Amino acid sequence: MHNRSIIILLLTTVLTFSTLYVPQPILPLLAEDFSVSRSEISLLISLTLFPLGLTPIVYGYLIDNISARTILHWFIGILAVTELSLAFVMDFRIMLGLRLLQGLLLPAIFTAIVTYISNLSAAHQRQKSVSRYIAATITGGFAGRFITGLISDYSDWRTAFIVWSIGLLIAWSLL
C-alpha cells in the first residue's frame, strides 16, 4: 500500500511541477494572443515562482495542524480548476491572477507531498523516497515544458492547459 501511495505522490509531483512550467514554452504565443510585451508576458512565470520562496515556512505550520493528505486533496483540486480556467481566459490580467493563485497553491502542495512521502517511508527508505521526489520534480519541469511545446505545435496553446488539468484531476482522484 505504501509503495502505491508513493507512486501516486510521485505522479502528482510530476504533474504539479509540469503545471508550474506550462506557460514557459508558449510565452511568445501568449504574448501575441494577449497583445502584451515580452516583459509583461514573463510575469506568468515570475508571479508563480515568487511565492515559492516565501510561503513554504507558513505552509509548514499549516501542515502541523492539517494533514498533508487533506491539503493535497483540496489544493490539487483547486490547482486543477485553475489550470482548466487558464484554457478559457480571454483577459491577460485574469490569467495573471490565476497564475498568482497557482503560485500560492504550489508551495503547499510541494510541502505536503514531501511530508506525506516522508511519513509513508520507513526510516531506512526515507532518503531513497525523497530522492525519487527530487527526480520527479525535475521530470515534471521538463515534461511541462516539452509536452506543452509539443501540444501547442500540433494544436492550440489552450489545449495544453486542458491536458494538464485532466492529468491533475486524475492525480486528485487517485489521491
Side-chain angles (χ1 to χ4, degrees):
M1 180 65 170
H2 290 303
N3 285 338
R4 181 179 182 274
S5 296
I6 289 174
I7 290 169
I8 291 167
L9 289 167
L10 294 175
L11 170 67
T12 303
T13 301
V14 169
L15 291 166
T16 305
F17 264 88
S18 295
T19 301
L20 176 61
Y21 292 105
V22 165
Q24 196 168 30
I26 57 174
L27 287 175
L29 297 172
L30 296 170
E32 185 179 315
D33 276 9
F34 289 107
S35 301
V36 296
S37 70
R38 285 189 245 186
S39 59
E40 287 174 300
I41 204 67
S42 70
L43 288 171
L44 290 173
I45 301 295
S46 302
L47 276 177
T48 311
L49 290 173
F50 183 70
L52 288 174
L54 303 175
T55 56
I57 294 169
V58 174
Y59 288 135
Y61 292 116
L62 182 67
I63 290 174
D64 283 343
N65 297 309
I66 302 172
S67 76
R69 185 176 183 188
T70 300
I71 289 171
L72 285 175
H73 176 76
W74 283 100
F75 283 38
I76 292 292
I78 296 168
L79 184 64
V81 169
T82 60
E83 190 71 6
L84 184 60
S85 299
L86 287 166
F88 300 102
V89 166
M90 299 302 223
D91 182 272
F92 182 63
R93 290 173 301 213
I94 294 172
M95 186 173 243
L96 286 175
L98 288 168
R99 287 293 291 170
L100 179 60
L101 176 58
Q102 287 184 333
L104 293 169
L105 295 169
L106 291 170
I109 293 167
F110 300 150
T111 305
I113 289 173
V114 169
T115 301
Y116 204 174
I117 286 174
S118 294
N119 290 341
L120 286 175
S121 301
H124 68 282
Q125 291 287 87
R126 200 162 289 135
Q127 185 175 1
K128 185 186 285 186
S129 295
V130 172
S131 295
R132 288 180 178 148
Y133 167 79
I134 292 168
T137 67
I138 295 164
T139 302
F142 171 77
R145 293 173 181 108
F146 179 76
I147 294 171
T148 298
L150 198 61
I151 290 170
S152 67
D153 277 350
Y154 291 100
S155 185
D156 182 81
W157 64 262
R158 296 177 186 276
T159 304
F161 287 103
I162 294 169
V163 168
W164 290 113
S165 64
I166 291 168
L168 287 168
L169 287 171
I170 290 168
W172 177 78
S173 68
L174 292 172
L175 286 168

